[in-house]
Amino acid sequence: MARISYIKHLLISFFLLFFISFPLQSQDSGNNTIQVLNLSGAIGPATSEYIRIGIEAAQTEALAVIIEMDTPGGLDLAMRDIIQTILDSDIPVITYVSPQGARAASAGTYILYASHVAAMAPATNLGAATPVQIAAPDLTDTGTEDDGDETAMERKMVNDARAYIRGLAELRGRNADWAEAAVVEAASLSASEALAENVIDIVASDSNELVSLLNGRVVNVNGQNLVLTTENVNLQYVEPDWRISFLKVITDPNLILILGMIGIYGLIIEFYNPGFGLPGVLGAICLLLAGYGLQLLPLNYAGIGLIIVGVILIIAEALIPSFGILGIGGIAAFSLGALFMVDTDIAVYQVSLPLVAAIGVGFALLIGATLRLFLNIKKKASVSGIGTIVGADGISLTDLNTTGMVEVHGEVWNAETDSNIKKGDKIKVVGTKGAHLQVSKE
């Protein structure tokens, strides 16, 4: 009997340890707030910062976070930052593709897979998660591994993305095969199809229905099973602060390019008018803002190098006119560099062609004005020096047989003559010889 009692206690201890290791917890009933973040438009540094700050702030203030998403995709680095924040969260993160007609394309699909709960509104879709890099060619790819139109670099990117999304699918217990198809074949699904294929967990027409369907759902958060209790919860909508709004503006490549040009023009003007101060200060501030925006974006360093070379050549043309040779080369280098500046295929983070053309025309006009000014200076007659008094009248200060002194324009000059000129005679300057005037009797 003692032996049976011992075994009985051993089994009880085993089951207690088992349930301690895999607890099923209920959330704190005292916290009845769910914070709602809005992720709309292209995903970039500002979006990543907004989601990160929102989720981190909600850890002690809310029982869950809902990300209402409508995105065509975005930058890979920003997407991975958002996913890392979701994976590190101590409270459930529910991603909800909403409103009706919204989409979770490309990077949005990865975020949906990473979330603790994936939900969609009717008439929404997700998928098309193939990474495509068309902003600039890969200069290191020799083409020896080409297979049709696909380069070796493109295959590396696809394989990396496929492994990444499959890992997320396996972590959340979702359809990993379809996740791979979304990357490799750019597959897409509607909300109802995604629910049937075990890609998402819920289809809800609005946020209120979503909250109702979340009630009682078991969610695994960092190895712990939590039971969502969403009865009588309050939805708290969190808007981006001024810093996030500023970040969104400053990471626009077109604005970065404009700020850079204002900065360069400001420094050039300050160089030509030293001591004025305002152009130099404004130029320095604009260049610093442009640099801050640039370091937040995925850069193509060949493009940045071309921009720097182009600016140097344009400034050199302004300072040392080469009749357009340096200027034309600078404009070409700058324009190509601007087009390749940001290394992404997302249209929102690419430089506008009309803007590049407008800046190129502006530089051409600057170079043209510089050349015209230079030619006018070359053609303009001298207004000072010995060359300006040829043809002028004067008076002899001494007797001139060969050499002597004369006064012209109130100045005393050494003079030479081949005629006999008496002191006080009027003379006319007929030429110069070194620092001497050649004169004749008037």
Side-chain angles (χ1 to χ4, degrees), residues 58-388:
Q59 301 297 303
T60 56
E61 301 173 3
L63 61 88
V65 173
I66 294 176
I67 301 175
E68 291 188 350
M69 182 165 60
D70 179 11
T71 180
L75 302 178
D76 179 76
L77 183 59
M79 173 199 75
R80 290 177 183 260
D81 286 343
I82 292 173
I83 290 174
Q84 190 61 53
T85 303
I86 293 173
L87 297 179
D88 291 340
S89 175
D90 293 327
I91 61 175
V93 177
I94 301 100
T95 299
Y96 178 39
V97 185
S98 174
Q100 296 187 25
R103 57 177 170 165
S106 191
T109 302
Y110 294 81
I111 294 172
L112 201 63
Y113 261 90
S115 302
H116 300 98
V117 179
M120 297 176 69
T124 58
N125 66 280
L126 82 162
T130 305
V132 180
Q133 198 72 21
I134 62 174
D138 178 21
L139 301 179
T140 62
D141 192 348
T142 60
T144 56
E145 299 181 40
D146 286 355
D147 181 12
D149 293 331
E150 185 183 29
T151 66
M153 180 56 68
E154 287 171 347
R155 284 201 300 276
K156 291 175 184 177
M157 294 171 63
V158 168
N159 289 336
D160 176 69
R162 178 171 57 185
Y164 188 54
I165 200 169
R166 187 173 189 89
L168 295 173
E170 292 172 351
L171 176 66
R172 301 302 185 202
R174 300 196 177 106
N175 191 331
D177 292 335
W178 186 87
E180 286 197 29
V183 172
V184 178
E185 303 169 13
S188 297
L189 288 176
S190 66
S192 57
E193 292 171 335
L195 184 64
E197 292 285 344
N198 188 33
V199 173
I200 63 172
D201 307 303
I202 296 173
V203 173
S205 58
D206 56 33
S207 298
N208 292 328
E209 183 181 359
L210 173 63
V211 169
S212 176
L213 294 173
L214 288 172
N215 190 42
R217 177 175 288 273
V218 179
V219 180
N220 186 280
V221 179
N222 292 334
Q224 293 186 337
N225 292 324
L226 303 179
V227 179
L228 287 171
T229 305
T230 59
E231 291 179 351
N232 302 319
V233 298
N234 297 318
L235 295 180
Q236 180 183 358
Y237 290 83
V238 180
E239 299 297 330
D241 59 16
W242 69 268
R243 181 175 175 274
I244 301 300
S245 301
F246 172 76
L247 198 61
K248 188 172 184 179
V249 171
I250 202 65
T251 50
D252 183 344
N254 297 295
L255 180 62
I256 289 173
L257 205 58
I258 292 172
L259 287 173
M261 293 307 98
I262 293 174
I264 291 168
Y265 280 126
L267 294 181
I268 291 175
I269 293 172
E270 184 66 29
F271 177 81
Y272 277 116
N273 301 274
F276 187 60
L278 180 61
V281 172
L282 181 63
I285 291 173
C286 288
L287 283 177
L288 287 174
L289 288 174
Y292 177 71
L294 274 179
Q295 61 94 22
L296 296 173
L297 296 174
L299 300 180
N300 184 314
Y301 292 102
I304 297 298
L306 283 170
I307 289 176
I308 293 172
V309 170
V311 169
I312 291 173
L313 291 176
I314 290 169
I315 293 175
E317 179 67 48
L319 299 178
I320 313 171
S322 64
F323 298 97
I325 296 175
L326 294 177
I328 293 172
I331 292 173
F334 179 87
S335 300
L336 288 173
L339 293 176
F340 295 153
M341 182 174 70
V342 183
D343 192 12
T344 180
D345 62 317
I346 307 300
V348 150
Y349 292 103
Q350 289 182 348
V351 177
S352 167
L353 282 173
L355 177 62
V356 174
I359 292 176
V361 170
F363 275 137
L365 292 176
L366 174 65
I367 292 170
T370 303
L371 288 176
R372 184 174 180 179
L373 180 63
F374 177 74
L375 292 175
N376 287 340
I377 291 173
K378 292 284 286 184
K379 292 177 180 178
K380 195 171 183 180
S382 300
V383 294
S384 64
I386 195 170
T388 63

Side-chain angles (χ1 to χ4, degrees), residues 399-418:
D399 291 336
L400 288 172
N401 293 321
T402 304
T403 62
M405 305 293 290
V406 298
E407 181 183 337
V408 180
H409 290 170
E411 296 179 339
V412 177
W413 296 84
N414 291 315
E416 297 179 356
T417 184
D418 56 1

Side-chain angles (χ1 to χ4, degrees), residues 392-398 400 406-408 417 419-429 439-442:
D393 295 329
I395 189 169
S396 175
L397 299 177
T398 63
L400 288 172
V406 298
E407 181 183 337
V408 180
T417 184
S419 60
N420 188 18
I421 300 175
K422 300 294 184 181
K423 180 180 178 180
D425 288 348
K426 292 182 178 181
I427 55 93
K428 188 178 188 66
V429 180
V439 299
S440 63
K441 188 174 182 180
E442 189 178 46

